[in-house]
Amino acid sequence: MFVLSRGAGLKLLNLGPDEIVGKSVFDLYRDHPKVLEDIRRVLGGESFVSTHWIGALAFEVRYSPLRDRSGALSGAIGVAADVTERKVTEDRLAFLANYDPVTMLPNRHLFMDRLSHAMQIADRNGTNVALLFIDLDSFKTINDTLGHAAGDILLVQVAERLTAAVRGTDTVGRLGGDEFTIVLEVLNR
């Protein structure tokens, strides 16, 4: 049961300062199994930090067991901070580290990882892998005459067509500029 509830995070959840006092933690968070799992952990005596998404908001919660004067476990303390902006930024950076922001295809980094993985699987299974390199002729002319927005539209259309032309197990990537690559996996020898 909640015995104290304070902080700006409550306003973000449309709750008043003491609105949840006396209510069961397990009832309030019944639709959030990860929160319930963390509550069980802290009630088991463990201290830790965990991040939870509640709707569109991310909270970093520092959990600590609450002990009485004799050291016996008597409850738990959870202090939450709104970290939504940080988590959104982290997720965006993780996306940009692996995907091209124009076409949403794997970038050079992720493509090379997938190529390596496909080659390992082919070696293990006795199959072949095909690597295709596609360069768009006169793409610079399109950017120079029609503008970068038109060039981006063309890149997106090429990405869509290439992706539609391969199997779901194959990988289409954009290395940069007007260069696309495709890994065709599991080809029989």
Side-chain angles (χ1 to χ4, degrees):
M1 302 295 259
F2 282 97
V3 293
L4 178 67
S5 175
R6 296 273 189 270
L10 293 170
K11 289 179 189 171
L12 295 172
L13 297 172
N14 296 319
L15 296 169
D18 287 319
E19 193 173 332
I20 61 175
V21 170
K23 294 185 180 177
S24 167
V25 173
F26 295 100
D27 286 341
L28 189 67
Y29 290 109
R30 70 178 159 267
D31 296 331
H32 303 282
K34 180 151 178 357
V35 174
L36 296 179
E37 178 185 319
D38 284 354
I39 291 168
R40 286 184 182 93
R41 281 177 61 195
V42 71
L43 290 174
E46 191 177 340
S47 294
F48 58 96
V49 177
S50 187
T51 301
H52 301 284
W53 283 92
I54 308 287
L57 302 174
F59 293 97
E60 183 177 87
V61 184
R62 296 183 178 283
Y63 292 102
S64 297
L66 182 63
R67 301 191 181 277
D68 63 19
R69 292 180 195 258
S70 69
L73 185 67
S74 62
I77 298 172
V79 179
D82 180 4
V83 293
T84 307
E85 187 175 327
R86 185 185 85 203
K87 292 301 290 176
V88 167
T89 300
E90 288 172 356
D91 291 349
R92 179 72 178 149
L93 289 173
F95 176 82
L96 291 174
N98 293 297
Y99 291 91
D100 171 57
V102 174
T103 63
M104 306 303 168
L105 293 175
N107 63 15
R108 180 181 303 267
H109 171 75
L110 181 56
F111 183 82
M112 295 306 288
D113 181 66
R114 289 195 180 166
L115 174 60
S116 174
H117 186 258
M119 291 171 62
Q120 290 171 6
I121 289 172
D123 188 45
R124 184 172 45 241
N125 295 337
T127 58
N128 287 324
V129 172
L131 174 63
L132 307 174
F133 181 82
I134 301 161
D135 184 67
L136 304 180
D137 290 338
S138 305
F139 180 73
K140 184 178 180 329
T141 305
I142 292 169
N143 267 346
D144 291 345
T145 58
L146 301 175
H148 289 283
D152 287 352
I153 290 170
L154 176 63
L155 293 172
V156 169
Q157 289 178 352
V158 168
E160 289 170 353
R161 289 181 184 189
L162 292 174
T163 302
V166 300
R167 301 167 297 176
T169 57
D170 301 326
T171 299
V172 178
R174 180 174 175 222
L175 296 186
D178 61 353
E179 299 174 341
F180 291 85
T181 51
I182 301 175
V183 172
L184 301 174
E185 295 188 42
V186 191
L187 302 174
N188 294 328
R189 288 189 175 173

